[in-house]
């Protein structure tokens, strides 16, 4: 069975009937058209694999049909039927991108053979695309490490919304794992074998938004040398992730809203309506509600995007995740950088647990990456961590400086005496002072 959708164009109704009848019998979905014009209207609205067209017809001829079809969708294959003895027409058609030609009267077995070739070709292309998206989804596999209840709740939400079509807006400070959660939703959804396409809205210059998202035809604007698919088209059947969504320019917001509502869009410079079957996820580290209140973001678009809100708390509000994340990143970074680092000293972990992480999990990962690369031993120590992580100097107390200096001196001497088990020569050496000064200080502080 050949499951192809085919348009048959012939101005001769009986000829049309014979061909259509045969094609239906071998499994094709067939639409008959009495003219090229009718065919063009149809392919603007419906998906078609093959156009089988007569050459000489009133109105558009076969060559013109071929050109127009290829303009609208180059993936549609065109087969021409030429009268006996008009080889030049056939040659011209092949030069212009026809898939093949048949001479009339059409040999039905030959027709079937040629369609079979198209079918195999299409299948190959589809398999190829599938393979690509599979590779893509493998690269999506990241473990989400956590211990906190708050992330547990986020993941619970992910599980509950993933099989729906609802738009999800993920909010959270920079580096909290917004993109990771978006990928987790995609992976857990029925769309997981289709593409996950991320768009960084902050990185697209304002005039290019439309062409980036919806694509453009060749020549749609200066510099459009090739027809290009937009992100909506690339994500077909899958998930479109609008990252930094607050950065979508106001002027473009209304267009995006319309496409989301009507589920249809057009490439820039084309009138063909394309169906958009994408699930929209978005993320931001801005306060979108406030932007809406200040008229910096359209409220209607915000409601469309924010059907299900998910908020990821900053790392400093879920410190119970730090330990696990540290072990996870040590293992990961040691593997990536081929280092034999396997653990971390208590002191270093202590420093990491106390830090505030303005850059959240990403900052923690960067700190560990650096530490693993620089580590002198198999264990990450305090010295391998950035200075900003070392305990902050004590805040200034009310006591005078001389008094604080004396207190510190007292402690240091006590410690030196303890370490040297009371051997004054050694203690003085350790402290870098003479034995005479040491005896004087011992007496001063009453140390035995
Ligand atoms: N719970 C977690 N477990 C493991 N890795 C995490 C976790 N959270 C974040 N990460 C890692 O931290 C890094 C930052 O995460 P991600 O890119 O998802 O953050 P983001 O919120 O999108 O950041 P930004 O706002 O800067 O775009 C990534 O390398 C991600 O794998
Ligand atoms: Mg991000």
């Amino acid at each position: 069975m050949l499951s192809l959708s085919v348009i048959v164009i012939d101005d001769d109704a009986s000829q049309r009937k014979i061909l259509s009848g045969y094609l239906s019998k071998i499994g094709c979905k067939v639409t008959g058209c009495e003219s090229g014009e009718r065919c063009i209207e149809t392919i603007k609205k419906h998906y078609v694999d093959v156009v089988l067209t007569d050459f000489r017809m009133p109105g558009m001829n076969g060559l013109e049909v071929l050109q127009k079809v290829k303009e609208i969708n180059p993936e549609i294959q065109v087969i021409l039927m030429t009268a006996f003895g008009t080889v030049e027409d056939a040659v011209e058609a092949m030069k212009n991108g026809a898939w093949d030609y048949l001479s009339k009267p059409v040999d039905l077995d030959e027709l079937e053979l040629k369609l079979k070739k198209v079918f195999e070709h299409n299948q190959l292309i589809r398999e190829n695309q599938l393979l690509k998206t599979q590779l893509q989804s493998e690269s999506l596999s990241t473990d989400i490490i956590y211990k906190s209840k708050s992330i547990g709740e986020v993941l619970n939400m992910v599980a509950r919304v993933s099989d729906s079509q609802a738009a999800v807006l993920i909010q959270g400070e920079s580096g909290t794992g917004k993109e990771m959660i978006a990928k987790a939703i995609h992976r857990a959804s029925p769309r997981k074998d289709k593409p996950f396409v991320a768009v960084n809205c902050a990185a697209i210059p304002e005039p290019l938004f439309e062409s980036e998202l919806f694509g453009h035809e060749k020549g749609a604007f200066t510099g459009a040398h090739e027809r290009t698919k937009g992100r909506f088209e690339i994500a077909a059947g899958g998930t479109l992730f609008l990252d930094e969504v607050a950065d979508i320019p106001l002027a473009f917001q209304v267009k995006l809203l319309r496409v989301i509502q009507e589920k249809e869009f057009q490439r820039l410079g084309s009138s063909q309506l394309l169906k958009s079957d994408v699930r929209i996820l978005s993320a931001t580290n801005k306060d979108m509600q406030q932007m809406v209140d200040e008229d910096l973001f359209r409220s209607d678009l915000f409601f469309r995007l924010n059907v299900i809100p998910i908020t990821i708390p900053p790392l400093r509000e879920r410190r119970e995740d730090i330990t696990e994340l540290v072990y996870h990143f040590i293992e990961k970074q040691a593997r990536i950088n081929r280092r034999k680092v396997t653990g971390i000293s208590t002191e270093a972990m202590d420093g990491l647990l106390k830090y505030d992480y303005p850059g959240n999990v990403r900052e923690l990962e960067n700190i560990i990456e650096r530490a693993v690369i620089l580590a002198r031993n198999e264990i990450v120590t305090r010295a391998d961590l950035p200075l900003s992580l070392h305990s902050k100097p004590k805040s200034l107390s009310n006591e005078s400086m001389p008094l604080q200096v004396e207190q510190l001196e007292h402690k240091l001497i006590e410690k030196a005496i303890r370490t040297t088990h009371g051997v004054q020569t050694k203690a003085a050496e350790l402290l870098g002072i003479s034995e005479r000064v040491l005896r004087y200080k011992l007496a001063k502080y009453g140390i035995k």
Side-chain angles (χ1 to χ4, degrees):
M1 280 303 218
L2 278 179
S3 60
L4 284 172
S5 115
V6 184
I7 291 186
V8 176
I9 316 176
D10 202 314
D11 53 319
D12 177 347
S14 62
Q15 187 68 17
R16 234 170 31 233
K17 214 171 139 203
I18 295 172
L19 290 171
S20 302
Y22 182 73
L23 292 174
S24 303
K25 214 178 74 196
I26 60 170
C28 297
K29 184 176 154 281
V30 193
T31 314
C33 292
E34 75 277 8
S35 70
E37 287 82 353
R38 271 308 275 280
C39 160
I40 299 303
E41 269 169 46
T42 313
I43 62 172
K44 277 186 185 164
K45 289 191 214 114
H46 301 284
Y47 174 77
V48 174
D49 293 302
V50 180
V51 170
L52 177 65
T53 180
D54 193 12
F55 202 97
R56 302 264 151 91
M57 302 176 285
M60 293 171 88
N61 70 22
L63 203 58
E64 286 163 336
V65 171
L66 167 67
Q67 279 161 351
K68 195 77 199 169
V69 166
K70 286 287 173 189
E71 245 171 59
I72 293 168
N73 185 354
E75 279 146 37
I76 299 176
Q77 303 305 351
V78 179
I79 299 176
L80 283 116
M81 300 178 285
T82 56
F84 181 73
T86 50
V87 184
E88 307 79 49
D89 290 343
V91 171
E92 187 63 20
M94 296 299 285
K95 269 200 231 151
N96 279 277
W99 175 264
D100 210 338
Y101 69 93
L102 289 157
S103 32
K104 284 167 90 168
V106 172
D107 175 342
L108 294 175
D109 289 334
E110 197 186 346
L111 171 62
E112 184 175 349
L113 217 69
K114 299 203 161 172
L115 287 175
K116 212 166 159 183
K117 285 252 167 67
V118 176
F119 183 74
E120 284 164 2
H121 170 82
N122 286 0
Q123 211 149 31
L124 220 80
I125 287 187
R126 251 165 239 155
E127 271 165 25
N128 217 327
Q129 277 166 349
L130 202 73
L131 227 78
K132 259 193 218 156
T133 51
Q134 266 166 4
L135 280 177
Q136 213 170 9
S137 59
E138 265 164 38
S139 72
L140 292 180
S141 68
T142 43
D143 315 49
I144 298 174
I145 307 296
Y146 73 103
K147 237 170 123 180
S148 60
K149 235 176 108 195
S150 52
I151 296 296
E153 275 160 18
V154 165
L155 291 178
N156 191 335
M157 196 68 172
V158 166
R160 273 156 52 209
V161 303
S162 53
D163 66 344
S164 82
Q165 301 296 321
V168 180
L169 175 66
I170 306 162
Q171 293 187 270
E173 285 181 15
S174 141
T176 44
K178 297 185 292 297
E179 182 156 354
M180 201 183 62
I181 291 298
K183 286 175 178 168
I185 294 175
H186 174 77
R187 270 205 321 278
S189 81
R191 296 170 175 264
K192 63 175 189 296
D193 296 325
K194 294 285 170 64
F196 174 92
V197 176
V199 186
N200 183 352
C201 301
I204 302 173
E206 182 160 351
L208 295 186
F209 259 88
E210 191 160 356
S211 124
E212 269 293 318
L213 289 180
F214 308 141
H216 61 255
E217 294 296 325
K218 187 172 167 181
F221 48 87
T222 30
H225 300 300
E226 292 285 329
R227 138 198 281 222
T228 306
K229 283 186 182 175
R231 305 295 173 98
F232 267 88
E233 215 173 328
I234 297 170
T239 304
L240 184 66
F241 175 52
L242 301 173
D243 203 1
E244 317 282 356
V245 71
D247 286 298
I248 296 182
L250 264 173
F252 183 70
Q253 288 176 17
V254 62
K255 280 190 185 144
L256 180 62
L257 177 68
R258 203 177 317 125
V259 169
I260 294 176
Q261 275 171 342
E262 325 221 309
K263 301 192 189 309
E264 273 179 346
F265 64 98
Q266 290 163 320
R267 291 197 199 102
L268 209 60
S270 155
S271 57
Q272 190 188 13
L273 275 179
L274 299 170
K275 278 259 165 270
S276 120
D277 170 28
V278 297
R279 202 275 176 88
I280 300 208
L281 305 178
S282 34
T284 181
N285 54 22
K286 306 225 169 95
D287 184 343
M288 294 273 278
Q289 185 59 58
Q290 191 183 338
M291 289 181 71
V292 169
D293 294 343
E294 289 171 8
D295 288 330
L296 296 169
F297 201 91
R298 288 182 68 103
S299 60
D300 44 10
L301 180 58
F302 175 62
F303 291 132
R304 276 279 165 182
L305 299 175
N306 193 32
V307 177
I308 295 170
I310 291 184
T311 304
I312 309 181
L315 188 54
R316 65 184 163 281
E317 284 174 19
R318 46 179 169 107
R319 293 185 180 276
E320 58 273 42
D321 288 344
I322 295 174
T323 318
E324 304 259 320
L325 283 166
V326 167
Y327 288 128
H328 170 72
F329 290 140
I330 288 177
E331 191 273 321
K332 175 177 165 189
Q333 294 300 336
R335 182 164 27 86
I336 294 175
N337 297 295
R338 294 164 200 276
R339 291 291 196 277
K340 277 215 184 82
V341 179
T342 52
I344 180 163
S345 75
T346 326
E347 244 192 345
M349 184 63 101
D350 227 42
L352 289 168
L353 284 165
K354 284 187 192 127
Y355 185 60
D356 251 7
Y357 302 99
N360 292 294
V361 184
R362 174 172 298 116
E363 184 179 9
L364 174 58
E365 180 164 13
N366 290 344
I367 290 171
I368 300 294
E369 179 183 12
R370 179 179 171 277
V372 165
I373 291 172
L374 298 179
R376 277 150 276 214
N377 308 301
E378 290 189 7
I379 300 287
V380 170
T381 63
R382 194 95 186 203
D384 303 319
L385 300 177
L387 280 173
S388 58
L389 241 78
H390 293 211
S391 35
K392 298 197 187 97
K394 293 237 167 59
S395 54
L396 289 174
S397 75
N398 296 328
E399 282 149 337
S400 70
M401 191 170 80
L403 187 59
Q404 289 190 53
V405 171
E406 272 185 10
Q407 285 169 351
L408 186 64
E409 194 173 64
H410 187 161
K411 271 193 205 145
L412 285 173
I413 293 170
E414 263 183 349
K415 199 172 169 192
I417 291 293
R418 234 182 297 124
T419 332
T420 58
H421 304 289
V423 183
Q424 288 186 15
T425 332
K426 280 197 179 152
E429 202 178 305
L430 202 65
L431 291 162
I433 54 178
S434 71
E435 230 179 312
R436 196 176 58 83
V437 173
L438 177 65
R439 270 198 299 277
Y440 163 77
K441 305 249 178 205
L442 285 172
K444 179 181 169 191
Y445 296 122
I447 301 169
K448 299 269 154 62

